[in-house]
């Protein structure tokens, strides 16, 4: 049995986290399990879990460390957390979500408080920045998508620095670029994926494209660093996305169940 | 074919391109040279002006039978081009912007851009300069080879039928001036435009060359009336040239657009400026994709105003994004001719790196043959200063100080020549006598074997 852990507190953020956990679990054939760090009682969290029909485990604070420990169990495929209690704020996500995002070596799904939550995940957006790091995510995601009959849309955003030098005949150029992009990053996969290209500030364009294409989840290969200028796109996604954000850390980890994890995320 | 003593890296890069150019066309039958040749599936093998204007000159000057095969590809589609003209209610031949097996227009009319939007594609309707580009290619081949059988036979048909089409296409206004309205020039950032200088001057050249050719070929059956009309239309065609500035206006209204220099708005060049600035800004700005007016100075140096290269280089080059791989090589050639050798070398290196450095990230879809052809042209026509002029090969080299010598091998009117240019002299090894003019010197007949000519006087030593 494999598990999707849903980290919930006593806030209104619990419900979208639970809903997302069920959708992710359905995608992977796993069981959703709620986990709550007992700080100020567990009545609200338990009520939410009960309403969702999900078993609740109670753990002891400190919250982030306890959740990380729970997520490190071999049967856990991913941890789902709320981005923050309420919309807005100076930081892209609450401190617990950020601490987990920058430390956890497991896939982490961060759910915005106002996320649009599908009962089923049918389309995933995978932004790729044209580096091996981000591309490593792709193969596993495609494999997972194939098994779950989910559409994967690959997105590359050109910013001012990476704009193409040439654009000869745009209709041919785009075909050629897409073909090469596919060949570079997933030609060894039997899967094919739709490729979308946009131009602009990457973080903003990812969010806009996610809305435009009506995706249910955005999946990033993730270096786990928000220091300095790192992770600008992920930072923007955590702050602004209206769909859950899946962060796939670029650290190898033991495979829990062959063919059922979220993918080989080796960098 | 090319030796650059003093810059082995550049020499190797150019030879890499020549290898692909040589392999792109067979020397018999018909050779359809697609934008990526036979090296990849990108551009679906479609044949553009890349073949006629960028690839063919190299083959005409080095592998004439392959150049002839390229023209055969066009010739075998001449009936389709004539049928297209008739379908339009016109005469002559209207060749397609994108050509494939059948010779009918292969450009789509709708497609997606990089912003994910569906947009109309009008190149197939409006990029009409392809018509005179093909006539130019036929004459380029004839100028290098002196293949009279071609020029008085099938090649003549290419020149005459294209001129015939232009004669129908051109509009006369009430004042008697002639215009070509609603076209796309080489600068595809602006469309449609009226009186694109490149389109008009190429059409003018096409008409005049056809009139002259028809005059020497009575068997062509072009009467004096039609020839006179071609000449009159050519004379009446506006070209946007302003004698007071020495600048051609790229198209009617270009000078009224927002003045923009690429250096002020872009982090680098080459850059796809439409993606940087957006279609609407570009349409209203003096930002151009590639050589347009300057393409005239490249293809028709005798048909532009004397002394107009420098002012047009100064005006247009800073406004050029080089957003086409066809652009840097042509500019390198022109900058070399203008004596701006450092700038020329820089753009030549950009051109040579397009595939070697895979700067488009699409080289796996095939190499950029036209850019490779433009690199050879930059070396041969720009730095080497080679130009066929009737029965004489003009050689006006401009060798950068860092190059000890530049060697270009060509075949001019059947004479194989190895031309070695140094900063002070030109040495020609010929396999039989040939007529050569060095710089502004008098034409001389070089004998079989080695002849060295002074660069300052063109005199034999």
């Amino acid at each position: 049995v494999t598990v999707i852990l849903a980290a919930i507190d006593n806030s209104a953020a619990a419900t979208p986290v639970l809903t997302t956990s069920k959708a992710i679990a359905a995608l992977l054939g796993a069981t959703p399990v709620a986990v709550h760090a007992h700080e100020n009682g567990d009545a609200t969290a338990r009520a939410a879990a009960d309403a969702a029909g999900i078993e609740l485990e109670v753990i002891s604070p400190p919250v982030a460390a306890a959740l990380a420990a729970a997520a490190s169990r071999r049967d856990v495929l991913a941890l789902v957390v709320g981005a923050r209690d309420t919309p807005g704020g100076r930081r892209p996500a609450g401190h617990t979500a950020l601490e987990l995002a920058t430390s956890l070596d497991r896939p982490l799904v961060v759910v915005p408080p106002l996320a649009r939550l599908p009962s089923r995940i049918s389309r995933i957006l995978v932004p790729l920045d044209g580096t091996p790091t981000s591309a490593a995510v792709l193969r596993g995601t495609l494999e997972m998508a194939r098994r779950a009959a989910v559409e994967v849309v690959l997105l590359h955003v050109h910013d001012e620095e990476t704009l193409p030098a040439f654009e000869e005949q745009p209709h041919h150029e785009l075909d050629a670029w897409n073909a090469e992009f596919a060949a570079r990053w997933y030609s060894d996969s039997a899967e094919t994926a739709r490729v979308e290209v946009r131009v602009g500030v990457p973080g903003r364009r990812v969010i806009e494209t996610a809305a435009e294409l009506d995706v249910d989840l955005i999946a990033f290969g993730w270096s786990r660093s928000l220091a300095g200028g790192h992770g600008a796109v992920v930072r923007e996604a955590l702050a602004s996305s209206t769909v859950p954000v899946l962060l796939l850390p670029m650290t190898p980890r033991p495979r829990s169940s062959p063919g059922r994890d979220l993918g080989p995320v080796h960098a | 074919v090319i030796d650059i003593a003093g810059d082995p890296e550049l020499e190797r890069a150019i030879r890499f391109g020549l290898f692909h150019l040589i392999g792109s066309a067979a020397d018999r039958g018909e050779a359809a040279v697609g934008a990526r040749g036979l090296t990849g599936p990108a551009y679906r093998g479609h044949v553009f002006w890349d073949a006629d204007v960028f690839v063919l000159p190299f083959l005409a000057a080095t592998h004439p039978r392959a150049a002839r095969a390229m023209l055969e590809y066009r010739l075998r589609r001449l009936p389709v081009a004539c049928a297209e003209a008739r379908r339009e209610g016109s005469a002559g031949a209207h060749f397609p912007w994108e050509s494939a097996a059948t010779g009918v227009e292969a450009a789509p009319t709708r497609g997606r851009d990089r912003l994910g939007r569906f947009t109309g594609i009008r190149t197939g309707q409006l990029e009409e300069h392809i018509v005179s580009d093909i006539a130019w290619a036929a004459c380029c081949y004839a100028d290098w080879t002196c293949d009279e059988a071609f020029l008085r036979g099938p090649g003549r048909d290419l020149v005459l039928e294209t001129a015939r089409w232009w004669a129908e296409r051109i509009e006369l206004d009430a004042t008697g001036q002639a215009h070509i309205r609603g076209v796309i020039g080489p600068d595809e950032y602006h469309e449609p435009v009226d009186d694109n200088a490149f389109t008009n001057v190429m059409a003018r050249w096409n008409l005049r060359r056809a009139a002259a050719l028809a005059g020497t070929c009575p068997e062509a059956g072009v009467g004096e009336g039609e020839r006179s009309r071609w000449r009159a239309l050519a004379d009446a065609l506006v070209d946007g040239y302003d004698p007071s500035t020495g600048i051609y206006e790229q198209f009617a209204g270009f000078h009224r657009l927002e003045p923009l220099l690429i250096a002020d708005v872009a982090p680098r060049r080459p850059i796809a400026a439409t993606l940087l600035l957006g279609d609407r800004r570009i349409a209203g700005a003096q930002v151009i994709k590639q050589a347009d007016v300057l393409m005239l100075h490249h293809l028709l140096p005798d048909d532009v105003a004397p002394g107009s290269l420098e002012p047009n280089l100064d005006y247009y080059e800073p406004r050029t994004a080089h957003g086409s791989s066809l652009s840097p090589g042509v500019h390198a050639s022109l900058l070399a001719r203008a004596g701006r050798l450092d700038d020329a070398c820089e753009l030549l290196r950009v051109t040579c790196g397009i595939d070697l450095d895979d700067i488009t990230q699409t080289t796996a879809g095939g190499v950029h043959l036209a850019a490779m052809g433009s690199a050879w042209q930059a070396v041969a026509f720009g730095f080497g200063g080679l130009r066929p002029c009737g029965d004489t090969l003009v050689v006006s080299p401009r060798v950068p100080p860092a190059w000890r010598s530049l060697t270009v091998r060509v075949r001019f009117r059947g004479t194989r020549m190895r031309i070695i240019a140094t900063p002070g002299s030109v040495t020609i090894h010929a396999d039989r006598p040939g007529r050569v003019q060095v710089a502004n010197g008098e034409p001389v007949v070089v004998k079989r074997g080695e002849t060295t000519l002074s660069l300052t006087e063109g005199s034999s030593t």
Side-chain angles (χ1 to χ4, degrees):
Chain A
V1 175
T2 52
V3 167
I4 300 297
L5 272 187
I8 59 174
D9 56 15
N10 285 321
S11 77
T15 298
V17 168
L18 289 165
T19 304
T20 300
S21 302
K22 289 172 76 173
I24 299 276
L27 191 67
L28 299 174
T31 300
V33 173
V35 59
H36 172 67
H38 190 287
E39 281 183 312
N40 302 310
D42 61 10
T44 306
R46 186 170 297 283
D50 288 348
I54 294 177
E55 172 193 345
L56 178 71
E57 294 178 5
V58 178
I59 57 177
S60 300
V63 177
L67 288 173
S72 67
R73 289 182 346 220
R74 286 183 60 84
D75 62 340
V76 174
L77 296 183
L79 175 65
V80 183
V81 300
R84 52 161 46 95
D85 293 346
T86 55
R90 185 174 56 83
R91 303 196 319 167
H95 65 86
T96 300
L98 285 181
E99 186 171 339
L100 288 167
T102 54
S103 63
L104 198 65
D105 66 357
R106 290 291 167 99
L108 178 71
V109 180
V110 182
V111 184
L114 297 180
R116 177 179 52 77
L117 300 171
S119 57
R120 177 178 180 277
I121 291 172
S122 57
R123 185 176 297 149
I124 301 175
L125 184 69
V126 182
L128 293 172
D129 62 9
T131 63
T133 301
S134 65
V137 174
L138 180 57
R139 296 183 184 93
T141 307
L142 282 173
E143 172 64 17
M144 174 195 73
R146 184 188 63 79
R147 287 197 299 268
V150 169
E151 180 188 6
V152 173
V153 180
L154 311 181
L155 173 66
H156 180 74
V157 180
H158 294 290
D159 63 14
E160 192 172 273
E161 293 302 317
T162 64
L163 273 178
F166 305 119
E167 179 95 304
E168 326 258 9
Q169 303 292 306
H171 48 293
H172 289 295
E173 202 69 29
L174 189 58
D175 288 348
W177 193 91
N178 285 353
E180 175 61 7
F181 191 80
R184 286 188 186 193
W185 304 122
Y186 63 96
S187 63
D188 56 344
S189 166
E191 314 308 321
T192 57
R194 170 179 164 191
V195 178
E196 293 284 338
V197 179
R198 297 292 185 272
V199 176
V201 178
R204 196 179 308 154
R205 294 299 279 146
V206 167
I207 300 304
E208 291 169 356
T209 307
E212 172 196 334
L213 301 180
D214 198 24
V215 304
D216 305 310
L217 183 72
I218 306 173
F220 289 100
W222 174 227
S223 65
R224 294 188 293 172
S225 174
L226 284 169
H230 293 288
V233 178
V234 167
R235 181 187 293 271
E236 175 77 26
L238 293 178
S240 309
S241 177
T242 57
V243 295
V245 175
L246 168 61
L247 302 177
L248 292 158
M250 295 295 100
T251 306
R253 69 180 181 85
R255 293 175 70 87
S256 57
S257 175
R260 304 191 79 185
D261 66 351
L262 281 172
V265 288
H266 40 78
Chain B
V1 177
I2 295 285
D3 303 316
I4 300 176
D7 197 334
E9 188 178 343
L10 185 59
E11 176 188 85
R12 191 162 51 243
I14 290 168
R15 289 178 176 180
F16 166 78
L18 302 188
F19 170 81
H20 284 291
L21 288 169
I22 293 167
S24 67
D27 61 2
R28 69 186 70 177
E30 59 171 314
V33 179
R36 304 298 181 89
L38 301 172
T39 64
Y43 284 67
R44 303 181 183 185
H46 289 183
V47 181
F48 296 78
W49 74 320
D50 303 39
D52 309 283
V53 168
F54 293 88
V55 174
L56 182 136
F58 163 71
L59 295 173
T62 59
H63 299 75
R65 287 198 297 182
R68 177 65 181 80
M70 289 181 69
L71 291 164
E72 186 64 24
Y73 167 77
R74 293 300 192 185
L75 278 166
R76 293 187 186 181
R77 283 143 192 88
L78 180 59
V80 175
C82 290
E84 172 60 17
R86 285 195 301 276
R87 191 191 65 77
E88 298 166 354
S90 185
H94 185 185
F95 282 96
W97 173 243
E98 293 190 29
S99 184
T102 63
V104 300
E105 181 58 69
T109 55
R110 193 166 164 76
R112 293 185 76 200
D113 64 14
R114 278 191 199 256
L115 305 179
R117 305 169 305 188
F118 281 97
T119 58
I121 299 169
R122 296 194 282 183
T123 47
Q125 295 168 267
L126 304 180
E127 200 142 0
E128 295 170 341
H129 63 78
I130 183 66
V131 173
S132 39
D133 299 336
I134 290 169
W136 182 90
C139 293
C140 174
Y141 165 78
D143 291 347
W144 276 97
T145 61
C146 191
D147 184 346
E148 287 290 324
F150 170 79
L151 195 56
R152 291 179 167 277
R156 179 195 66 206
D157 296 336
L158 283 178
V159 178
L160 300 187
E161 294 302 336
T162 48
R164 204 162 260 145
W165 187 80
W166 284 119
E168 297 285 318
R169 175 67 175 85
I170 292 167
E171 304 167 34
L172 282 172
D173 67 17
T175 69
Q177 287 193 313
H179 305 272
I180 302 173
R181 297 191 173 99
V183 300
I184 301 175
D187 166 28
E188 291 154 332
Y189 287 170
H190 298 91
E191 60 160 70
V193 299
D194 295 339
D195 288 326
N196 168 246
F198 178 80
T199 304
N200 285 21
V201 175
M202 287 292 285
R204 185 171 70 194
W205 166 87
N206 199 161
L207 288 164
R208 287 176 175 162
R209 183 88 185 221
L213 182 61
T216 63
C217 297
E219 66 276 18
V222 181
E224 175 54 31
E226 188 170 25
R227 280 185 278 134
S228 297
R229 180 164 177 264
W230 290 351
R231 284 191 292 264
L233 282 172
D235 292 344
L237 258 177
V238 301
D239 63 9
Y241 181 65
D242 179 354
S244 68
T245 61
I247 292 171
Y248 287 84
E249 185 173 32
Q250 184 177 300
F251 54 79
F254 182 86
H255 291 329
R256 292 196 300 273
L257 301 180
E258 177 193 6
L260 271 185
L261 302 184
I262 301 297
D264 293 337
V265 293
R268 58 176 161 78
R269 290 193 299 176
I271 194 164
T274 44
L275 299 178
L276 177 70
L277 300 175
D279 293 341
R280 184 172 298 180
R281 176 92 186 272
I282 288 283
Q286 293 172 356
V287 171
I288 62 180
K289 181 178 185 177
Q290 64 193 92
D292 193 301
V293 164
L294 289 170
M295 203 65 199
L296 290 172
H297 293 80
H298 184 63
L299 297 184
L300 300 174
D302 295 327
D303 288 70
V304 291
S308 65
L309 172 59
E310 283 80 1
N312 283 283
L313 256 180
D314 290 343
Y315 182 78
Y316 283 110
E317 202 281 331
R319 289 165 168 78
T320 304
H322 298 304
S324 161
S325 64
L326 311 182
S327 188
V330 169
H331 281 83
S333 183
L334 296 171
L335 287 162
R337 278 174 45 199
R340 293 163 57 179
L341 300 181
D342 289 343
D343 293 339
C345 285
E346 184 181 336
L347 285 176
L348 180 57
R349 289 181 205 288
V350 169
T351 307
C352 292
I354 288 172
D355 289 307
L356 283 174
D357 298 333
D358 192 16
I359 65 175
T360 66
Q361 298 183 11
T362 62
T363 293
V367 298
H368 295 70
L369 274 184
M372 292 168 164
S374 75
W376 180 84
Q377 292 187 39
V379 173
F381 302 159
F383 293 99
L386 303 185
R387 186 159 64 90
C389 188
D391 63 354
T392 302
L393 181 63
V394 175
V395 185
S396 298
R398 293 157 186 87
V399 180
W403 299 0
R404 293 192 302 279
S405 67
L406 166 65
T407 303
V408 183
R409 294 168 182 79
V410 294
R411 194 183 304 186
F412 178 62
R413 294 182 155 233
T415 301
R416 293 173 190 271
M417 296 184 184
R418 181 158 55 96
I419 300 161
I420 305 167
T422 68
S425 67
V426 173
T427 299
I428 296 172
H429 296 260
D431 70 345
R432 65 182 198 185
R435 195 171 168 86
V436 171
Q437 175 188 330
V438 170
N440 295 320
E442 290 297 316
V444 298
V445 176
V446 297
K447 298 173 184 169
R448 183 174 183 274
E450 179 181 312
T451 304
T452 298
L453 299 160
S454 161
L455 194 53
T456 51
E457 300 170 3
S459 57
S460 180
T461 58

